[in-house]
Amino acid sequence: MADRPEHSETTAEARGQAVEAYAARSDVSEAARIAGVDEATFRRWLDSNAEINAEINRARLERASRLRAEVRELASEAMASLRELVSDPNTPPAIRLRASLAVLQASEATKAETIGPTDPAAIRSEWNQRDLLSRIGLGL
């Protein structure tokens, strides 16, 4: 599927604002409002413009990377605190249990979120595959 041209009134600034807002919130209405574009326009971009989708995915990757770095910075302190709580025999059992559960839950907290391709060609390829499956009745 080829990219459809954008309307001439669409500015690069609005596009950038929409991309950043959508990457951070994944809410089409809010992203369109922040960028000052019509929601239908933004939905059209999402459905037909691989470059915008790639920009969104790159922004999401960047955001996820920053968040993981922040979590890693705090992880050492948090683990030391939890280790003290879990190991200290004077810690009440209910607190030790909560600390133990926090450690177990934290193992999932660092699991990477699945984010789509950051290359427009790869996005077009996914769209072509989706369209082909839809045409033969196997659409997802």
Side-chain angles (χ1 to χ4, degrees):
M1 173 188 287
D3 289 348
R4 295 180 202 139
E6 297 177 28
H7 289 76
S8 59
E9 70 271 6
T10 303
T11 66
E13 183 179 346
R15 176 178 157 163
Q17 289 172 340
V19 164
E20 288 301 320
Y22 189 68
R25 295 172 189 80
S26 293
D27 181 273
V28 173
S29 298
E30 182 72 4
R33 186 191 64 73
I34 288 169
V37 298
D38 185 67
E39 184 177 334
T41 298
F42 187 56
R43 286 187 188 282
R44 187 174 56 255
W45 292 350
L46 292 175
D47 291 339
S48 64
N49 190 308
E51 282 76 17
I52 286 180
N53 280 273
E55 287 177 40
I56 289 167
N57 291 339
R58 283 190 296 269
R60 285 180 174 166
L61 281 172
E62 169 101 15
R63 184 171 185 268
S65 178
R66 282 193 313 266
L67 290 174
R68 281 192 300 276
E70 289 179 28
V71 167
R72 282 191 298 271
E73 288 177 19
L74 293 173
S76 294
E77 288 181 47
M79 289 306 294
S81 296
L82 289 171
R83 186 175 289 114
E84 283 180 36
L85 289 172
V86 170
S87 302
D88 185 356
N90 295 322
T91 301
I95 301 295
R96 288 173 52 189
L97 174 61
R98 284 188 187 176
S100 297
L101 289 173
V103 170
L104 294 173
Q105 288 175 340
S107 65
E108 285 294 311
T110 57
K111 195 173 187 178
E113 159 187 4
T114 301
I115 297 173
T118 58
D119 177 45
I123 292 171
R124 282 187 208 93
S125 176
E126 283 185 356
W127 288 348
N128 289 337
Q129 183 179 22
R130 178 194 64 204
D131 291 346
L132 175 63
L133 290 174
S134 179
R135 283 194 301 271
I136 63 172
L138 299 174
L140 304 175

